[in-house]
Amino acid sequence: SFSGAEIVVTNASSRLVFVPAAAREAPAGLISALNVFGKMGGFDGVVRHVAGDAPLDAMRHMLGPIAAVQAYLLPDFLEDWVPRLVPALQTKLMELSSDELKVADESCIDDLKQCIQSLYLALPSHGNASGGGRTGGALVSPANKVLEAFTLDFGLKCLKAPILKLKLKGLADIRELVRLAAHKAEYISRLRDLSGQAAAYLANNREAMMASAQLMYVATSVDDLLAWLLQHDIVDLLYGSLAHMEVMRRGFEFVKFLASQGVLTKAHIDLIWEAGQGKHEAVQNIVLSAFTDLAPSLSLELLGYVYHAKVATVPHASFSSHLIQLVRALTMHALLTSSALKTTADVKAATAASAAKAA
């Protein structure tokens, strides 16, 4: 283990620490170089520079090589060093001003964020999670929740910046988590709604499957993500008075997610509708298209609210093709929703009647 002048990595004659690095021999020169670097206080120096005034590009040059050889570093050293490094790097990125972010090399920031993830998930106490488990149906480590919290916070910082490029970057990072959380919510819903033969077949495994489902796609729970979006007034950031039309154009997925989880409110609808009032036709069309795409995710109550409180107030002479499409979507999905509710009510009534008759 690393302590003072002791070595920090394994050598070729002893075990290598992490898979897949354990499957290949470490070059002797690399081992010697890392041990000398550790003996001379190099790793502690990296933390000091990151916490100090080191430029972003310098930090990338310091951390990139270390992240690349992290598989050869001993577990005890990683458990001591990474928890000192990662918070310092996260703080440094969060303290960047909008002007600094504007001129910063975007690939440099992405590389530093990747270093944070790579080193943090390499900690033995985090189960040696590999790659973040963020694609397909892979499970993620609970440690990912800390990284996702930083992704949200840094994304929000960029979204609030007065620079469109930064806004779109932050929006994209947050939107990816929302997209994965939506997949997770849908998967969990399907597990809960398993019926008949499938439910019986999986009865013994349901608890384990539900536990695994909580770590599908993202470690942050759907409820926590919803709470974060509402706490930070995401709808206002997307469609408020200061919102850019390109941000509005990309905001639909957030609103759809809120609606699918039953937390979209009439106040949100008021705000989104108002974003298009008295604006250029292009902005109006973005808002109307958002409502048209949102219609399938709205409750019957909200479908009626959009129509009666918003659409019905527009003079017929002012109807555009986009508004006509919205009317069609609202009408069609109101009919479908009403039919589905009636069918559900009929099934419940029939089930209750059968149960009463059997009793």
Side-chain angles (χ1 to χ4, degrees):
S1 64
F2 175 65
S3 175
E6 295 181 15
I7 65 171
V8 298
V9 297
T10 58
N11 56 44
S13 63
S14 64
R15 68 183 180 87
L16 296 177
V17 180
F18 301 147
V19 176
R24 63 180 186 271
E25 290 294 316
L30 174 63
I31 295 297
S32 298
L34 286 172
N35 285 329
V36 170
F37 185 72
K39 290 177 184 179
M40 300 299 292
F43 290 103
D44 288 336
V46 168
V47 176
R48 288 195 300 273
H49 281 295
V50 168
D53 298 325
L56 294 181
D57 196 52
M59 290 192 289
R60 173 168 62 174
H61 288 304
M62 284 188 286
L63 295 176
I66 296 176
V69 299
Q70 67 187 31
Y72 302 111
L73 301 176
L74 289 172
D76 289 347
F77 166 70
L78 286 172
E79 291 287 4
D80 171 71
W81 183 67
V82 173
R84 290 188 287 122
L85 172 73
V86 168
L89 182 51
Q90 290 177 328
T91 298
K92 189 67 171 283
L93 291 176
M94 288 298 298
E95 289 179 349
L96 292 172
S97 68
S98 295
D99 288 338
E100 288 173 321
L101 284 170
K102 180 180 179 180
V103 300
D105 182 350
E106 188 173 318
S107 66
C108 180
I109 292 178
D110 288 341
D111 287 346
L112 289 173
K113 289 164 65 178
Q114 182 59 43
C115 284
I116 290 175
Q117 174 170 303
S118 178
L119 290 167
Y120 190 73
L121 293 181
L123 290 178
S125 59
H126 294 161
N128 297 342
S130 59
R134 293 275 301 280
T135 60
L139 295 181
V140 295
S141 163
N144 279 75
K145 189 170 184 178
V146 174
L147 299 173
E148 290 164 11
F150 175 71
T151 295
L152 290 171
D153 289 342
F154 191 73
L156 181 67
K157 175 183 178 68
C158 292
L159 182 57
K160 288 183 174 181
I163 302 162
L164 180 60
K165 181 183 76 169
L166 294 178
K167 287 180 179 292
L168 298 183
K169 175 63 176 173
L171 190 67
D173 288 344
I174 300 172
R175 187 174 57 190
E176 177 63 7
L177 283 181
V178 170
R179 185 185 69 81
L180 293 170
H183 284 308
K184 174 178 176 176
E186 181 180 0
Y187 179 77
I188 291 174
S189 177
R190 289 180 178 180
L191 279 182
R192 287 175 176 155
D193 293 341
L194 286 174
S195 59
Q197 187 176 0
Y201 177 76
L202 295 172
N204 293 333
N205 298 319
R206 182 185 293 270
E207 184 174 339
M209 290 179 68
M210 288 298 293
S212 295
Q214 296 301 327
L215 290 177
M216 293 290 279
Y217 303 107
V218 287
T220 304
S221 72
V222 172
D223 287 344
D224 284 347
L225 186 53
L226 285 169
W228 187 92
L229 292 171
L230 295 174
Q231 176 189 349
H232 294 288
D233 297 321
I234 192 68
V235 178
D236 185 61
L237 289 173
L238 296 173
Y239 294 98
S241 58
L242 299 179
H244 191 281
M245 64 181 292
E246 291 302 325
V247 173
M248 293 183 190
R249 196 190 305 277
R250 294 163 172 79
F252 162 69
E253 193 164 342
F254 293 86
V255 181
K256 179 181 178 182
F257 180 59
L258 296 178
S260 70
Q261 299 303 306
V263 297
L264 190 71
T265 66
K266 293 178 180 179
H268 291 142
I269 289 175
D270 291 342
L271 193 154
I272 298 170
W273 183 266
E274 187 61 29
Q277 300 306 296
K279 302 292 178 60
H280 187 276
E281 182 181 356
V283 177
Q284 294 178 19
N285 290 341
I286 289 173
V287 172
L288 293 174
S289 294
F291 276 112
T292 300
D293 294 337
L294 185 62
S297 302
L298 294 178
S299 65
L300 188 59
E301 179 185 4
L302 291 183
L303 285 167
Y305 183 74
V306 173
Y307 180 79
H308 293 292
K310 306 302 176 186
V311 175
T313 64
V314 179
H316 289 173
S318 300
F319 267 45
S320 64
S321 60
H322 284 78
L323 191 55
I324 292 173
Q325 291 175 6
L326 173 56
V327 172
R328 179 180 180 277
L330 293 173
T331 303
M332 180 176 68
H333 291 292
L335 291 172
L336 290 174
T337 303
S338 297
S339 177
L341 291 175
K342 183 178 185 305
T343 300
T344 301
D346 290 345
V347 169
K348 288 183 177 180
T351 301
S354 297
K357 184 176 181 180

